[in-house]
Amino acid sequence: MTLPILGLLLRVDWATVPAAITSADAVDALLLSLRTGAAATIICVIVGVPLALVIARSRPRVAGLLRAVTTLPLVLPPMVGGIALLYLLGRNGVVGQYLDVAWGVRIPFTTAAVVIAQSFVALPFLVIAVEGALRSTGTRFESVAATLGASRWTVFRRITLPLVWPGLVAGTVLCFARALGEFGATALFAGNAAGATRTMPLAIYTAFNGAGVSQDSAIALSLLLVAVAIVILLVLRIPRVQRAEPK
């Protein structure tokens, strides 16, 4: 698993790395990726936590159907997801045509399209993590709190959320990492406009294909994205290490 990364490290021209990763294009792409990734993660948390709760507390058949639909982006090629988003929200799409006619809103090939594409592919990671945590904790404490007169919101805020917090944190971090690395759906649905939709993966693709820069720049940008991914994984591991330490 580490051999491809080793190959990348061996191919790096370290003399060109500082200039490549501090160039205006690289900084813009990284900042755009961080902003859109954070926005997509917030959307996934808002949508994914209630969805995971519904799946975990539904009957097996209903839960299985909802789980299959929710996790479809995990097995669906990202390019297909981008095409699906275009036909849904594009200018002539099922929903997009009405947005265009009624309010003049055009989503494709904008920064908003980047966020939507990232949310589409990253949502399953959060839902799976939170649903697993919900199932492992069961409903015993929630039932006791309900019998004592606690409202649903109080039960969720005081009982459910603290119990699933580690799963929620893990799912959020993985969701953010997946959003940062999204390429296929973003390329088709949002395009590759510098400063607006060109995220880090698209910047790497552009550099690798020689759009006015050498492939050494693509390798340096790839190294930067690998470093960001490693930091994210380390952040994900810290809570686990702390829980494993003896009191």
Side-chain angles (χ1 to χ4, degrees):
M1 296 296 291
T2 59
L3 290 179
I5 305 301
L6 179 61
L8 180 66
L9 292 174
L10 293 176
R11 181 61 179 80
V12 173
D13 183 0
W14 294 100
T16 65
V17 169
I21 64 177
T22 57
S23 65
D25 290 340
V27 172
D28 288 345
L30 179 59
L31 292 178
L32 179 64
S33 292
L34 293 174
R35 290 197 304 269
T36 56
T41 302
I42 292 172
I43 293 174
C44 289
V45 171
I46 295 173
V47 176
V49 173
L51 181 57
L53 186 60
V54 171
I55 294 174
R57 300 296 185 252
S58 296
R59 295 180 179 179
R61 289 186 179 180
V62 176
L65 178 61
L66 291 175
R67 190 181 301 111
V69 173
T70 303
T71 57
L72 183 61
L74 288 177
V75 296
L76 195 68
M79 291 289 188
V80 177
I83 294 175
L85 289 172
L86 272 176
Y87 279 106
L88 176 67
L89 298 172
R91 186 175 181 182
N92 297 317
V94 177
V95 177
Q97 59 180 325
Y98 299 107
L99 294 176
D100 189 12
V101 172
W103 295 289
V105 175
R106 298 179 182 179
I107 297 177
F109 310 110
T110 64
T111 304
V114 177
V115 176
I116 293 173
Q118 291 174 339
S119 302
F120 176 76
V121 300
L123 180 63
F125 290 87
L126 187 134
V127 173
I128 290 175
V130 176
E131 185 204 351
L134 286 166
R135 290 191 178 277
S136 64
T137 57
T139 60
R140 182 180 59 177
F141 297 109
E142 296 174 350
S143 300
V144 172
T147 58
L148 294 175
S151 64
R152 290 186 177 182
W153 171 244
T154 301
V155 171
F156 175 77
R157 182 171 54 88
R158 301 291 298 273
I159 305 296
T160 306
L161 194 58
L163 287 175
V164 303
W165 185 253
L168 176 59
V169 172
T172 301
V173 174
L174 290 175
C175 181
F176 180 66
R178 180 64 185 90
L180 282 182
E182 166 51 29
F183 172 79
T186 303
L188 280 179
F189 185 53
N192 188 16
T197 63
R198 182 176 294 171
T199 57
M200 278 296 292
L202 287 167
I204 293 170
Y205 176 80
T206 302
F208 192 79
N209 282 277
V213 292
S214 66
Q215 290 189 358
D216 289 335
S217 296
I219 296 173
L221 294 177
S222 300
L223 187 64
L224 177 60
L225 199 56
V226 169
V228 173
I230 291 174
V231 171
I232 291 173
L233 292 175
L234 290 175
V235 171
L236 179 62
R237 183 172 175 78
I238 287 175
R240 297 181 180 180
V241 173
Q242 290 177 345
R243 291 198 303 271
E245 292 178 352
K247 302 294 183 180

